[in-house]
Amino acid sequence: MDPDLLEGQCSLLAEELRRRVRPEVAELVGSWSEGGTRVVLISASLQPLASQLASLCGASRVVASVPEVSGGRLTGALSGPRPWGRRKAELARAVLGELAVPASEAAALGDSWSDRHVLRLCGRPVAVSPGRRLRRLAEAEGWRVMEGRRAGWA
């Protein structure tokens, strides 16, 4: 596939996902951004999609799965690490180090079991419409839980 075609498809998908974001999530993250908090979007999604979504939450930086391009075509592989599970937490730790922000002062939002690692890393974890396992963990750890219909990602 041509990388430009992927960019176009990601733009269309981002518009659809914007309509599905829970208002409470958008308001919370928007208030952080407007209040001067640096917002970093760390997602296993492909970089072109994550970059489109970054504007939604006022993210100043994106760490996402970067598709590999060879000869002007997407190869189907990634050119770097996939921010998912433990690796997402490692990447978050690296970003916090670069920004000189203690993990205890960082917030993280997650909606799936695989986000538990990054939620445990940060001092202000928020489980968003969590599934059963993440909900049990959030309740046991005393994390904030944002209720609502399960939107699939936020």
Side-chain angles (χ1 to χ4, degrees), residues 25-108:
V25 172
E27 289 169 16
L28 175 64
V29 177
S31 71
W32 291 341
S33 182
E34 290 168 11
T37 299
R38 288 173 286 199
V39 175
V40 178
L41 175 61
I42 303 177
S43 174
S45 299
L46 291 176
Q47 179 77 28
L49 177 59
S51 293
Q52 293 279 331
L53 295 173
S55 64
L56 172 68
C57 61
S60 58
R61 184 166 173 186
V62 175
V63 177
S65 299
V66 178
E68 180 182 78
V69 178
S70 178
R73 309 293 285 175
L74 296 164
T75 67
L78 298 178
S79 67
R82 180 177 178 232
W84 186 84
R86 291 184 198 278
R87 185 69 176 136
K88 183 185 269 190
E90 292 168 7
L91 292 166
R93 188 176 288 110
V95 169
L96 290 170
E98 291 170 20
L99 298 174
V101 173
S104 62
E105 294 179 16

